[in-house]
Amino acid sequence: MNDTTMRAITPTSWGGPEVLTIAELARPVPGPTEILVRVHAAGVNPVDWKTRSTGGFGMHGEPPVLGYDVSGVVEAVGLGVTLYRPGDEVFGMPEFPRQAGGYAEYVTGPARHFARKPAGLTHVEAAALPLAGLTAWQALVETARLDAGQRVLIHAAAGGVGHLAVQIAAARGAYVIGTAREDKHALLKELGADEVIDYTREDFVERLGRSVDVVLDSVGGDYGPRSLRVLRDGGTLVTLPSPDDVPAAEENGAHGIRTGFTLVEPDSTGMIALAGLAEKGSLRPVVETVLPLERAAEAHRLGEAGRTRGKIVLSVLED
C-alpha cells in the first residue's frame, strides 16, 4: 500500500459473514467541512450485520464498506474546519445511515459528526460508544425526557445499547430496572442498575405492574405490547428495532402513554454529553471482545449469536 490506498472490509455480495473480505481501496479525501481520521478502532453494531445480510438502508457506496463507529486521530482537515487539527484524537459515527466506512484504516466525515475522545478511554473503548451511546442518549434523554426519581425499564440491559442506557439513566438519578439473563446481573448492578429481572424465569409484567415511567425496548416482538402493561399513566415507550415493533398505545389500559420508534442520528451535542459522562467516570463501555480488522467476519458471527456483554470492537491500529 501507499499513501493513496488503505485496507478496508467490503462484502463481495450481501449475505452471511463469509462475504466479508479485506481489500485495498482508495483512501478517502476530506471535502469542505470534513476531516480525515486515521482509524485506530471500529465498533461493531447489529446494524452492521443487518446491512451485510440485506444491504440495509440501501445507502452504501461502491464498493460498500461496513461500519459506523470509529475512534482515531485526525490526519487532515478539509476547507473551513476549525474544530480540529491534525493529531487530535476524536470519536464518532459519521454519516449514519449513509455509508461511513468505519471498517477501514481511514474515514472521512463532517467535522461536527465527531467529538474529542475522552482522555480516560482507550480508542477501543471510545469506538464502542458512539452509535449505541447516542441511541441510548437520544432515546432516554431527548425522546423520553427521563428525569431524576423516575423509574425506567431497560430491556436487553447487558447488550450494546442496554449497558450504556443503564449507566446514562443512573447518572440522571433514575431508578433503573433491567432485563437480562442471571449470569449478567452482577455486571448490571456494577453499572448502576437498581433491580434486574431474569426474563427466562420471571415475567417482568407480573413483577412490576403499572409502576414504570419509561421503557426502552431494544428487543421488539411481543416486548412492546407487554411493556405497555407496566407503564403508568403518561409514561413513554421508546422502541428501537423497527417501526413495526411499536404497539398501539390506545389498546392499553393506561392513559396518555407515548409510544414511538427512534433511529439514532449523528449529533455532536450528544457526543459531547457522552464524553462528559465518560470523563466523570459515569459512563464506560464494556468491551467483551476485541478482534483485528481482518477478522470482521468472526466479529459478526459472535454478534449475531446474541450473547455478547457490551460490545465487540475491531482493532485497526495498535495504540
Side-chain angles (χ1 to χ4, degrees), residues 8 11 17 37 94 100 118 134 142 164 194-196 204 225 233 242 265:
V37 176
L134 276 178
E142 298 177 355
L164 297 172
D194 298 286
E195 190 176 340
V196 190
F204 67 86
D233 288 1
S242 163
E265 303 174 53

Side-chain angles (χ1 to χ4, degrees), residues 8-244:
I9 297 294
T10 180
T12 55
S13 61
W14 304 123
E18 69 279 358
V19 304
L20 296 181
T21 60
I22 192 156
E24 184 173 335
L25 302 179
R27 185 181 303 181
V29 176
T33 74
E34 292 185 336
I35 59 175
L36 173 68
V37 176
R38 175 66 166 101
V39 178
H40 284 231
V44 178
N45 293 290
V47 68
D48 299 343
W49 55 77
K50 292 174 183 176
T51 298
R52 182 215 71 223
S53 178
T54 66
F57 295 98
M59 304 176 76
H60 277 68
E62 186 57 47
V65 179
L66 300 182
Y68 290 100
D69 281 345
V70 296
S71 182
V73 177
V74 176
E75 184 91 357
V77 301
L79 178 68
V81 174
T82 57
L83 285 178
Y84 305 112
R85 297 179 179 178
D88 288 343
E89 294 187 318
V90 297
F91 72 126
M93 48 158 278
E95 305 288 2
F96 185 88
R98 296 170 180 80
Q99 175 166 303
Y103 293 5
E105 293 179 315
Y106 292 88
V107 300
T108 56
R112 294 180 186 273
H113 285 187
F114 294 86
R116 294 184 184 276
K117 181 183 77 67
L121 297 186
T122 66
H123 282 294
V124 165
E125 290 172 322
L129 186 54
L131 194 148
L134 276 178
T135 298
W137 178 268
Q138 291 170 7
L140 293 178
V141 178
E142 298 177 355
T143 301
R145 299 188 289 275
L146 182 67
D147 208 350
Q150 290 188 312
R151 289 167 59 88
V152 57
L153 172 62
I154 298 168
H155 290 305
V161 172
H163 87 285
L164 297 172
V166 165
Q167 296 176 72
I168 291 169
R172 295 186 71 79
Y175 182 89
V176 184
I177 308 161
T179 60
R181 290 177 179 271
E182 187 176 9
D183 62 345
K184 299 174 182 178
H185 288 198
L187 169 65
L188 291 172
K189 289 294 185 70
E190 290 175 12
L191 296 179
D194 298 286
E195 190 176 340
V196 190
I197 301 170
D198 183 352
Y199 65 89
T200 68
R201 298 182 178 181
E202 187 174 5
D203 183 351
F204 67 86
V205 177
E206 293 182 4
R207 167 86 164 260
L208 298 174
R210 290 201 180 278
S211 67
V212 175
D213 299 289
V214 174
V215 177
L216 181 60
D217 175 20
S218 59
V219 179
D222 70 347
Y223 270 69
R226 291 168 64 205
S227 294
L228 287 178
R229 294 160 57 192
V230 305
L231 282 168
R232 294 169 170 163
D233 288 1
T236 302
L237 168 63
V238 182
T239 301
L240 300 179
S242 163
D244 296 334

